[in-house]
Amino acid sequence: MFQPLDPLVSSLFSGLAITSLLLSFVMLGSRWLENYLYAFAGSSWAIAALAAVAAYFGGHADLYFIALITLVFRGIVLPYLIWRIIRTLEVDREIHEIIQPSSGLVIGALLVMFAFAVSVRLADRLGLEHSAVLALTVMLSMTLIGFLMLAVRREALSQILGLLVVESGIRLGAQILVPGMPLLLELVILFDLLVVVACLGALVSYLSAHLGTTSASGLKRLVG
Amino acid sequence: MPLVALILALALAPLTAALGCLVARRPRACEAINLAAATVTLAAALPIPFLIDDRPLLFWGGYVVMDRSAAWVMLCTAIVYFLASIYAIGYMRLFDQDNRLFWFYALFAGFGLTTLVAPLMNNIGLYWVAIELTTVVSTFLVAFERVGESVEAAWKYIMVVSAGISLALLGTIVFYWSGSFALGPSYPMTWTALTAAAPKMPPVLLIFAFMLVLVGYGTKVGLAPMHTWLPDAHSESPAPVSAMLSGALLNTAMIGIVRFLAIVGAAGRGQTPRLMLTALGVLSLLIGALFILRQQGIKRLMAYSSVEHMGVVAIGLGFGGPLGVAGAFYHMLNHSLNKSLMFFGAGNMMRAYGTKDIAGIGGVGRYFPAQAGLWLAGAVAVTGAPPFGLFLSEFTIMRAGLQPAFSWAVYLMAVLLIVVFIGFLNHFRAMYFGPEPAPDRAPAGRVSAWCAAPMWLAFGPLLVLGLWWPAGIWNYLTAIARTVSP
C-alpha cells in the first residue's frame, strides 16, 4: 500500500494511465496495422513516464532505471521488432475482422464500465483511494480490451498486439499498485516479453511459408 | 551437502546438453549427449525425495526452494524426460532430417531444463517466467515437422497459452498487492513470504487473485474450457515431444496452482477455491469424455485423455484432505508413466501405418504382436482399470470426495470415467479387431528397440504401482497434503 498521494502526482498518474487506455482504444478503432504500432509505442512511453514520475515523487530511485529500460525496450526495440514483422507480412491492414471497428469501440467501452464496477466494489471493501481505483480500472480494462482484440481480430500481427496490450495493462497497474515490486523481476519479465515477441515473429514467417496466410481464419485444419 | 550437488546436476545436465548439441551438430552425437543428460537427470532426481523432510529448504539466497511437492513433480518430469530421450533416438531417425536434428535435441534438452527448473522457483514471478519459457521452447518443438498442421498447432499453442498465462501474471501481481496490505510496500515475492502473510491479507483480494491464477495456469494445465491448445499441440508434435508435453509440462504448471491453493488455504479461505478447482476438474472430465467418444485421430485421442486426467488431478486437489491430495499427486506420477507409454505406442503405429487416423489403423495384433499387447495393456490402464496405478489413484480421489460438499462431483466423476472407459477402448477394438488396411497399404517395417524399450520401462513401474502403494510413498504424499490443505 502507498501513502495518500500529492494531488499533482495523483493527477499525473491519472493522466498517464488514461492516455494509455485511450491509446488502446485507438487500436480497437483502427484497421491499419501501422496505427496499432504507433499506439503501442505511445502507451509504452506513457508507462515509462509513469515510472519516472513514481521514481521522482515516490523516492524509489531504482524506478528511474525501470523507466529507462521501459523506454528503450518497450518504446523502441519492441516496436522496431513489430515493424519488421509488418514489413515481412506484406499486409498493412486488418481485413478479416469479425466485428466492425466501430462495434469494437462500443464493446470496449462496455468492458471499461465492467472493469470500473469491479474496481469500485473492490475499493469499497478495501477502503482504497482514488488513484488506486483508477489504476485497477485501467489495468483490468486494458486486459479485457487486449482479450477482445485477440478474440475479434484475425491477422497474426493484431493478435500479437492484443497480447501486448494485455501485458501493458498489467505493467501499468503494477507500477501504481505495487511500486515496490523487486527490480530483478521487472527486468526478467521485460526480457521474457522480448523473447516471446521474437518467437512470434519467427512463427509468423513459418505461417506465411507453410500455410500461405497469416490470418487466423486460415487456421482451420485442426478441429475436434 | 549432497542435495545441493543433486539440484545442480538436475539443472546443469540438460543445460550442458542443450549447449552441447548446438556445438556438436552431428546427429548421432546429439542423440548421445541428450540421452546422457537425461540419465544424469533421472539419477539425480530419484534420491531427492529421500533427502528432504517437512521443512522446505532454500538455496542460493532463497531463490530456489526444494520441498516435497517440488521433488515429486521433478521426479515425474525426470522420468518422462529419460523415457522420451530413449524413444526420440529411434523415432526421430525415421524423419530423415539429420541436418536439422541437432536443433531438435537442443530444444528438447532445453524443454527438459525449463520443466525441471520451474517447480524449484521460490520467487513467484520467476516461476511465472519459467513457465512462460517452457512455452517458448516447446513451441518450436511442436512446429518441428514444419508442415502446415504443425505450424498451425504451434501458433495456437503459443497464442492461447500466452494469453492465459498473462492472466496468471495479473493474478500474481494482485497476490503481491494483497500481501502489501500486511507486509508493507516492498517485500520478497516468495511462496514462503506470502504463505506466512496470508492470514492478514484481505480475503476478497485473495479470492480474486486465485481466480486469475487458476484460469491462467489452468490454461497451461489444460483444464477445460481453456484446453483448446492441448489437442492440437499434442497431436501435431513429434511423439517424444507429445509425451513431454503431457507427462511433464502439465504437472509443472499444476504445481503452481497447488502452491497458490496452499496460500489461500493458509488464510483459511480454501473453501471457494477448492470448489472452483473441483468444478473445472469435472468440466475437463466431461469435455475429455465427450471428445474421446467421437475422436478420429489417434494422438488427439491421447490428448483428450490428458485433459481428462488433468481434470481428475484437479478434482483430487479440490476435494483436499490427505486422500484427495495424496491421490492427486500419485495420479500425476501414474499419468506421466502411462501417457508416455500411450504416446510412444501411438507414435509407433502412426509411423508404421503412415496415418494419424484411427480408421486407417487395423490389425495391430496381427502385425505387431508384442507391441499390441503392451499398448493394449496401457490403454486399459489409462482408462483407470485395475490392476494399474491409475485405478488406485482415481479410487483414492473418489474416496476423498465422499463428503457432503462434494458427493455430487464423485457421482459425476464415476459416470464420466465409465464413459471414458467405453469410448477409449472402443477405438482400440476398432484398431485391433476392426477392418484391416488393404494388402498394398499394410504396415511396413518393424518397431525398433529404441522405440519399444521405453514402453516396457514405463509399463513395469505402472503395474507395480497399481498392485502395491508403498507405505513410504503414502507417508510422503500425505505430508504434502498437510501443507496444501491443512
Side-chain angles (χ1 to χ4, degrees):
Chain A
M1 263 323 278
F2 42 83
Q3 287 74 42
L5 290 171
D6 198 85
L8 173 65
V9 186
S10 179
S11 51
L12 277 175
F13 273 176
S14 316
L16 289 168
I18 289 171
T19 309
S20 285
L21 185 58
L22 284 179
L23 284 170
S24 64
F25 270 95
V26 171
M27 290 195 203
L28 211 51
S30 167
R31 280 198 181 94
W32 299 92
L33 297 185
E34 233 169 67
N35 290 356
Y36 297 174
L37 184 63
Y38 292 139
F40 172 71
S43 74
S44 299
W45 290 343
I47 294 173
L50 198 78
V53 170
Y56 184 77
F57 291 99
H60 300 278
D62 49 356
L63 279 180
Y64 278 122
F65 181 60
I66 298 275
L68 185 67
I69 56 168
T70 307
L71 192 66
V72 172
F73 284 104
R74 297 188 65 115
I76 297 166
V77 176
L78 267 183
Y80 173 72
L81 280 178
I82 296 168
W83 178 73
R84 281 193 41 182
I85 299 175
I86 294 184
R87 282 260 309 268
T88 55
L89 281 182
E90 296 171 352
V91 176
D92 57 356
R93 72 190 200 95
E94 179 70 55
I95 312 162
H96 307 281
E97 70 256 285
I98 294 175
I99 57 170
Q100 290 285 323
S102 49
S103 328
L105 286 175
V106 175
I107 299 177
L110 291 176
L111 291 176
V112 174
M113 282 154 79
F114 173 70
F116 180 68
V118 172
S119 311
V120 167
R121 281 186 72 92
L122 277 177
D124 271 353
R125 298 272 197 94
L126 300 169
L128 296 178
E129 66 161 287
H130 238 57
S131 57
V133 180
L134 185 74
L136 209 52
T137 310
V138 172
M139 175 157 88
L140 294 179
S141 42
M142 280 179 75
T143 307
L144 291 170
I145 288 175
F147 272 94
L148 181 65
M149 281 182 66
L150 279 172
V152 303
R153 296 286 160 87
R154 283 294 174 218
E155 196 51 54
L157 197 94
S158 317
Q159 297 195 336
I160 298 178
L161 278 163
L163 273 186
L164 288 174
V165 169
V166 173
E167 215 277 339
S168 295
I170 296 171
R171 190 73 207 75
L172 193 131
Q175 201 93 76
I176 300 176
L177 294 176
V178 284
M181 203 166 77
L183 177 65
L184 169 84
L185 199 68
E186 314 229 10
L187 291 179
V188 178
I189 290 178
L190 197 62
F191 166 76
D192 179 73
L193 194 66
L194 282 178
V195 173
V196 171
V197 171
C199 288
L200 288 170
L203 266 185
V204 166
S205 64
Y206 286 7
L207 278 181
S208 53
H210 294 280
L211 287 164
T213 171
T214 52
S215 158
S217 53
L219 305 181
K220 278 185 181 152
R221 297 199 206 176
L222 301 172
V223 287
Chain B
M1 196 173 162
L3 201 53
V4 178
L6 290 177
I7 296 175
L8 271 179
L10 269 174
L12 289 182
L15 180 65
T16 322
L19 299 175
C21 289
L22 289 181
V23 176
R25 298 177 83 104
R26 292 215 319 276
R28 298 293 95 83
C30 292
E31 289 169 356
I33 294 173
N34 182 55
L35 184 59
T39 316
V40 171
T41 308
L42 182 62
L46 274 173
I48 291 181
F50 297 101
L51 295 175
I52 50 182
D53 53 20
D54 276 337
R55 213 162 31 89
L57 300 169
L58 301 180
F59 300 96
W60 296 295
Y63 279 106
V64 168
V65 65
M66 175 57 88
D67 60 3
R68 285 202 155 110
S69 42
W72 185 260
V73 170
M74 282 175 74
L75 181 62
C76 297
T77 306
I79 292 172
V80 177
Y81 178 40
F82 174 69
L83 294 175
S85 295
I86 303 175
Y87 185 80
I89 294 179
Y91 188 80
M92 297 310 288
R93 282 183 189 170
L94 301 173
F95 274 98
D96 258 353
Q97 295 213 322
D98 273 1
N99 55 339
R100 282 204 306 137
L101 214 53
F102 72 98
W103 274 117
F104 176 83
Y105 282 106
L107 286 167
F108 199 69
F111 190 28
L113 173 72
T114 48
T115 38
L116 281 164
V117 167
L120 291 183
M121 292 292 117
N122 192 23
N123 187 304
I124 305 179
L126 290 183
Y127 172 75
W128 181 85
V129 170
I131 292 289
E132 178 77 30
L133 285 181
T134 60
T135 315
V136 169
V137 177
S138 51
T139 299
F140 288 96
L141 286 171
V142 172
F144 188 75
E145 290 181 30
R146 297 264 185 95
V147 291
E149 282 87 356
S150 66
V151 176
E152 174 180 341
W155 178 261
K156 285 182 182 169
Y157 173 43
I158 196 168
M159 268 336 236
V160 173
V161 170
S162 298
I165 211 111
S166 61
L167 282 182
L169 179 64
L170 183 58
T172 306
I173 301 270
V174 177
F175 257 110
Y176 190 75
W177 182 40
S178 57
S180 70
F181 285 86
L183 298 171
S186 196
Y187 62 96
M189 195 176 195
T190 58
W191 302 108
T192 30
L194 279 180
T195 313
K200 281 179 279 175
M201 294 184 195
V204 53
L205 273 190
L206 267 183
I207 302 289
F208 179 55
F210 183 81
M211 279 165 64
L212 291 169
V213 166
L214 179 62
V215 172
Y217 289 124
T219 311
K220 190 88 191 181
V221 173
L223 293 177
M226 295 86 73
H227 67 286
T228 46
W229 63 272
L230 195 147
D232 296 348
H234 284 53
S235 66
E236 298 311 315
S237 50
V241 179
S242 315
M244 279 289 282
L245 284 172
S246 185
L249 180 70
L250 304 185
N251 294 341
T252 307
M254 192 59 114
I255 190 92
I257 297 180
V258 172
R259 291 196 199 271
F260 280 111
L261 188 65
I263 295 178
V264 185
R269 300 276 165 178
Q271 208 58 37
T272 322
R274 281 169 51 201
L275 190 64
M276 292 193 267
L277 204 49
T278 312
L280 281 187
V282 172
L283 187 62
S284 310
L285 202 51
L286 176 70
I287 299 281
L290 293 181
F291 277 88
I292 281 172
L293 279 182
R294 300 297 300 270
Q295 198 44 251
Q296 290 168 349
I298 182 64
K299 284 178 84 184
R300 294 183 82 82
L301 182 68
M302 306 304 161
Y304 277 107
S305 160
S306 290
V307 174
E308 174 227 329
H309 282 292
M310 283 301 125
V312 171
V313 172
I315 292 174
L317 293 170
F319 288 167
L323 285 173
V325 177
F329 273 81
Y330 200 50
H331 201 79
M332 284 183 193
L333 176 63
N334 290 324
H335 175 250
S336 295
L337 287 167
N338 204 333
K339 199 45 70 62
S340 306
L341 168 62
M342 294 316 288
F343 270 119
F344 297 159
N348 289 343
M349 290 306 117
M350 227 179 79
R351 304 301 303 187
Y353 286 87
T355 175
K356 282 177 181 163
D357 293 335
I358 294 174
I361 301 176
V364 177
R366 197 158 70 78
Y367 291 109
F368 305 96
Q371 271 283 305
L374 186 57
W375 199 34
L376 185 62
V380 171
V382 89
T383 53
F388 299 101
L390 287 173
F391 170 73
L392 267 191
S393 40
E394 279 175 1
F395 196 71
T396 314
I397 289 170
M398 289 173 82
R399 268 173 64 199
L402 290 176
Q403 43 179 305
F406 288 118
S407 49
W408 58 274
V410 175
Y411 301 131
L412 274 174
M413 187 178 157
V415 172
L416 291 171
L417 285 177
I418 294 170
V419 172
V420 169
F421 181 80
I422 297 169
F424 201 90
L425 289 183
N426 186 39
H427 293 302
F428 273 73
R429 182 198 55 74
M431 286 188 290
Y432 279 66
F433 306 111
E436 294 189 12
D440 58 312
R441 305 190 57 189
R446 45 186 285 277
V447 176
S448 72
W450 290 114
C451 290
M455 292 175 70
W456 288 104
L457 285 177
F459 180 74
L462 187 65
L463 183 61
V464 172
L465 290 175
L467 295 170
W468 174 50
W469 187 332
I473 293 186
W474 172 254
N475 292 335
Y476 186 89
L477 295 180
T478 44
I480 294 179
R482 279 198 297 278
T483 59
V484 175
S485 83

